[in-house]
Amino acid sequence: MKLMADNYEDDHLKASKSDQTNHKPSPDQIIPPLIDLNQNRSKLKLYISHLTTLCHERDPHILQDLAPPSAYQRSQQDAWEEELQKMSHEQLESELEQCERESAELQEYANSVLQQIADHCPDILEQVVNALEESC
């Protein structure tokens, strides 16, 4: 029985690996997640900007040891979505990887900023929460 189970697992793993390598998403399947990631990145940048502004108004030294990632300074071109339509599958995959990496860097930076705020002036967090509640 164990031999049969091992053989089944081996066959099942081989089949699932070959399914994964044979199925590449089409450009139409890659572009919407890219656009969503870009929108989320933009929202995260706005959030970070709001947090850093609040910090600088209170005490410019709170964030002096934190350096924003390069993605924070970079802005997407207006024609970026149009350019996506012209990209090859490999270029789209590369763009998706870059967007995911930059989003993770921005999220990590936002978390660091929030931690600094929590450590030095937690009342700012209350302002942020109140502003978020009002916008919802």
Side-chain angles (χ1 to χ4, degrees), residues 22-93:
N22 291 338
H23 176 69
K24 285 186 176 179
S26 70
D28 291 341
Q29 293 172 315
I30 297 174
I31 291 174
L34 258 171
I35 292 171
D36 289 344
L37 265 174
N38 187 51
Q39 289 172 346
N40 288 337
R41 244 186 340 191
S42 296
K43 290 176 186 176
L44 197 50
K45 287 179 184 181
L46 284 172
Y47 181 61
I48 291 169
S49 174
H50 182 67
L51 290 174
T52 55
T53 299
L54 288 173
C55 283
H56 287 294
E57 288 173 357
R58 172 69 61 82
D59 181 359
H61 302 300
I62 293 173
L63 302 177
Q64 71 183 3
D65 295 332
L66 295 179
S70 59
Y72 181 69
Q73 306 301 334
R74 190 174 22 256
S75 63
Q76 278 300 357
Q77 313 159 9
D78 292 334
W80 181 75
E81 287 185 34
E82 292 174 23
E83 289 178 21
L84 292 177
Q85 304 295 332
K86 300 172 189 170
M87 290 183 180
S88 70
H89 185 271
E90 290 76 22
Q91 289 171 317
L92 287 170
E93 288 284 343

Side-chain angles (χ1 to χ4, degrees), residues 2 4 7 14 16 18 23 54 58 108 113:
K2 176 150 175 41
M4 286 175 42
N7 285 337
K14 287 177 189 172
S16 65
S18 65
H23 176 69
L54 288 173
R58 172 69 61 82
E108 186 176 321
V113 170

